[in-house]
Amino acid sequence: MEKITDKVAALPPDSNYFSLEFFPPKTAMGFANLRDRLERMARGLRPLFVNVTWGAGGSTAQKSLELAEICQRELGLTTCLHLTCTNMSRRLLDKTLEDAKVLGIRNILALRGDPPRAAEYHDENDPEPTDDEEFSWAADLVRYIKKTHGDYFCIGVAAYPEGHAEEAHPREQSLEHDLPYLVEKVQAGADFIMTQLFFDIDAYEHFENTLRDHPSGAFEDVIIVPGLMPIQSYQMIKRTTKLSHAKIPPAVMARLDAVKGDDEKVKMEGVAIVSEMIERIKEIKSRTPGPRGFHFYTLNLEKAVAFIAERTNLIPPGTPDEDESAILPDFPQLRINGSSVPTRSIQDLSTRKGSIGSDPRDRVIVANQRPSHPDYEASPSEAGLPAEPVNTRANTLAISEGEGVLGREATWDDFPNGRWGDARSPAYGQIDGYGVSLHVTVPQALQLWGSPKTTEDINNIFIRHLKGELSAIPWSEEGFNDETEAIRDNLIELNSRGWWSLASQPAVNGLRSDDGTFGWGPENGFVFQKAFVEFFIPSADWRVLEAKLKQPDMKDTVCFFATNAAGDFVSTDTINFRARMAAEAEGTAEADYRPHEPSTNAVTWGVFPGKEILTPTIIEEVSFRAWSEEAFGIWSEWAKIYGKGSDTQKLLEDLKEDLWLVNVIHHDYLEKDGLWKLLSQ
């Protein structure tokens, strides 16, 4: 039950510390697997505290509290709970703060969240707020927490080294514009500042100097923690910096561009980039007294963070039992793979061994009575050595860095999964963990999409997005990849019918991994894709398409998943199961005896020299169901920006209740037009 400020104050003045941020995964399997990852990172890395994110409007409230409880109570980690105040009832705010107290959480990161839309989110059970209890800004939340809970909570607030922006192409994004609001937040009672991610060190230096020299004196004694995001993949960092409006200096971008086709090289170059940033920040922070802190946006992944923390000497020392038990024993002389070397040089080579099941290069033979067959026979001294504990802190760190068999198992989901990855991954979900959101302001939404009155107006929005005339739709704030050009006409035809596509890809058969349009992964590899498309479809049209997809001749060609806002669900798997049950009941011989196990469809895979087959994109029932909840929720989010009872609001809500979300996968990737011919019939 420690406050962050108290923990920082207890550190030596010239020390370093760091914190880690996690979001609640979308699926139960991802949540369960995150528990193991948290325990491993807590043991191996020893962060000073951890942050747990909070969804827009309280959309992840329960899951966020569950994750916070695991961190605080089960793992004993000092936990800081994010809390957004806009578009959320005061009753939920009060309940969350009380729940946090019950869990022993004494740290809150007070955020504004999405631009306020009070009329749509007003809770009729809330008492009427007084003038000083309207929540439009983070400063309002800071004041409210101080008023209702005194000094019980240590309160942090966010800051933007390059200035905060709400528009897609901000014109007035600047630190100077933000400063009055940041001063207000601190003077309202904030105890520390945590920055948004950045890659421009010069901008951060200007930010820190500006705050420390501010004439108000508000920031003289406030802890400032820079936020850093390890670069997990090329596309991820491009998307993240676009959403956050963080600039990537040309020299940094050039380093990433040089390796963008190989995710592993991108990750390791990212480790080097962020490590260099940390060394620069240490120098900047050395100009003011006190410990130097760093905050990592982990995306629920561990390998890059572990590498960075170890490379930059951020990991605090542990007890001798934790740290020394994995150090090589101090024998007079050791023989490693048949070569005699002095003990000291061995210890200089490595302070810790690899994880259990490590490669033969870690095999140690004690120089004593030489065995007859040293390749597979142990000497008496070697046989008498006690086995090293698997769960030493040093071994735990090795696992987090992906070393050995256990390391490969622990970091199997090493790259961000997003909605198309493996639903078992702790990283499965939105990369910001923010929940259902339009990712744009109300004025920007109105400018982009206007006020549709008919389904034809909706058709037009999707078609204009496909043609590049609109930068975003409510379900995607990104443009299309180059590969979409191969199926653009098919998608336009689909959307013209009122079948509104959210995701798709063309079929690809064995193109080289350096292909300019479809290539990815290491050099000298080959990549493959199955065609798929996901779209909203009116219920009447779905009944016709469903009958087509259920025909016997489709069962080995197509796999599909479909659901509506009410939760009704049907898929290829459920059809097979029902057919089997009916056949068994009737005693017919035509029964489909395939077991009802939810199918897992790899729709993108690559074959590379010296590597296992990589499957970065899979579609399965669990991930489809998790995404569908958000996809239908976005209809309501979109409707909320219009007046209650308006024609547009009614249209969008009616569509949500009528539509089905369908994903169709065509297995024959040799037939490039197979999926589109099927849907056009």
Side-chain angles (χ1 to χ4, degrees), residues 432-539:
D432 51 11
Y434 198 52
V436 179
S437 173
L438 296 180
H439 288 295
V440 296
T441 62
V442 172
Q444 189 178 5
L446 293 172
Q447 181 181 5
L448 282 168
W449 311 314
S451 300
K453 302 292 194 302
T454 66
T455 55
E456 285 297 324
D457 294 336
I458 306 290
N459 291 359
N460 190 47
I461 290 172
F462 279 86
I463 292 171
R464 289 181 62 204
H465 185 230
L466 281 165
K467 291 181 176 180
E469 298 171 5
L470 278 182
S471 61
I473 58 174
W475 292 267
S476 174
E477 71 285 346
E478 300 181 63
F480 291 95
N481 296 327
D482 292 340
E483 69 176 46
T484 304
E485 188 62 41
I487 54 174
R488 192 182 304 274
D489 290 343
N490 302 108
L491 293 172
I492 289 175
E493 193 276 332
L494 199 71
N495 283 268
S496 298
R497 279 192 266 158
W499 298 13
W500 301 315
S501 59
L502 303 185
S504 59
Q505 73 178 25
V508 169
N509 179 30
L511 292 179
R512 297 191 67 87
S513 59
D514 59 359
D515 183 85
T517 301
F518 299 98
W520 57 275
E523 297 176 350
N524 302 315
F526 294 89
V527 297
F528 303 81
Q529 293 181 178
K530 291 181 182 178
F532 79 85
V533 63
E534 181 180 272
F535 51 93
F536 287 113
I537 181 173
S539 58

Side-chain angles (χ1 to χ4, degrees), residues 2 48 58 105 175 240 274 296 307 334 339 499 537:
E2 293 179 291
L48 192 73
I105 294 171
L175 174 60
T240 305
V274 176
F296 292 110
F307 272 130
L334 299 177
S339 300
W499 298 13
I537 181 173

Side-chain angles (χ1 to χ4, degrees), residues 141-154:
L141 178 56
V142 176
R143 277 189 287 266
Y144 184 73
I145 295 173
K146 285 292 184 183
K147 175 183 175 181
T148 55
H149 295 277
D151 292 328
Y152 181 85
F153 290 107
C154 172

Side-chain angles (χ1 to χ4, degrees), residues 11 19 54 59 80 155 193 240 247 260 268 277 301 327 338 387 426 439 471 505 553 589 601 612 622 637 664 668:
L11 296 172
S19 55
W54 183 265
S59 55
C80 178
I155 304 173
I193 294 171
T240 305
K247 300 178 183 67
K260 66 180 181 180
M268 297 318 296
M277 291 174 61
L301 297 167
I327 293 177
H439 288 295
S471 61
Q505 73 178 25
D553 62 334
N601 299 275
E612 297 176 355
V622 173
E637 288 296 302
V664 182
D668 189 353

Side-chain angles (χ1 to χ4, degrees), residues 451-681:
S451 300
K453 302 292 194 302
T454 66
T455 55
E456 285 297 324
D457 294 336
I458 306 290
N459 291 359
N460 190 47
I461 290 172
F462 279 86
I463 292 171
R464 289 181 62 204
H465 185 230
L466 281 165
K467 291 181 176 180
E469 298 171 5
L470 278 182
S471 61
I473 58 174
W475 292 267
S476 174
E477 71 285 346
E478 300 181 63
F480 291 95
N481 296 327
D482 292 340
E483 69 176 46
T484 304
E485 188 62 41
I487 54 174
R488 192 182 304 274
D489 290 343
N490 302 108
L491 293 172
I492 289 175
E493 193 276 332
L494 199 71
N495 283 268
S496 298
R497 279 192 266 158
W499 298 13
W500 301 315
S501 59
L502 303 185
S504 59
Q505 73 178 25
V508 169
N509 179 30
L511 292 179
R512 297 191 67 87
S513 59
D514 59 359
D515 183 85
T517 301
F518 299 98
W520 57 275
E523 297 176 350
N524 302 315
F526 294 89
V527 297
F528 303 81
Q529 293 181 178
K530 291 181 182 178
F532 79 85
V533 63
E534 181 180 272
F535 51 93
F536 287 113
I537 181 173
S539 58
D541 288 358
W542 166 239
R543 285 190 288 272
V544 177
L545 179 59
E546 182 183 14
K548 171 72 174 176
L549 296 176
K550 285 182 175 180
Q551 292 178 6
D553 62 334
M554 289 285 102
K555 69 177 183 179
D556 294 322
T557 304
V558 167
C559 181
F560 74 90
F561 303 93
T563 189
N564 60 13
D568 300 320
F569 177 80
V570 63
S571 73
T572 313
D573 303 316
T574 60
I575 291 171
N576 292 338
F577 178 70
R578 289 168 186 164
R580 173 185 171 184
M581 293 298 100
E584 287 182 347
E586 296 171 5
T588 61
E590 292 79 16
D592 184 345
Y593 285 101
R594 286 181 292 182
H596 175 225
E597 295 180 0
S599 58
T600 298
N601 299 275
V603 295
T604 303
W605 65 99
V607 182
F608 307 98
K611 292 183 178 291
E612 297 176 355
I613 293 176
L614 302 181
T615 55
T617 311
I618 65 174
I619 300 174
E620 58 185 344
E621 179 180 327
V622 173
S623 58
F624 176 78
R625 283 178 175 270
W627 157 245
S628 68
E629 293 178 8
E630 180 176 347
F632 282 107
I634 290 173
W635 283 105
S636 294
E637 288 296 302
W638 189 9
K640 284 176 181 175
I641 70 174
Y642 304 98
K644 287 185 177 181
S646 66
D647 292 341
T648 300
Q649 189 260 348
K650 188 175 186 304
L651 170 70
L652 298 178
E653 289 291 356
D654 288 346
L655 286 172
K656 173 186 174 181
E657 297 306 313
D658 177 67
L659 293 170
W660 281 72
L661 180 66
V662 180
N663 191 302
V664 182
I665 304 158
H666 199 275
H667 295 310
D668 189 353
Y669 56 90
L670 300 180
E671 187 181 357
K672 294 178 62 175
D673 297 325
L675 174 63
W676 314 107
K677 289 178 180 177
L678 168 69
L679 295 177
S680 66
Q681 294 170 358

Side-chain angles (χ1 to χ4, degrees), residues 244-261:
S244 65
H245 304 287
K247 300 178 183 67
I248 301 182
V252 173
M253 199 67 241
R255 293 169 64 177
L256 296 175
D257 285 337
V259 294
K260 66 180 181 180

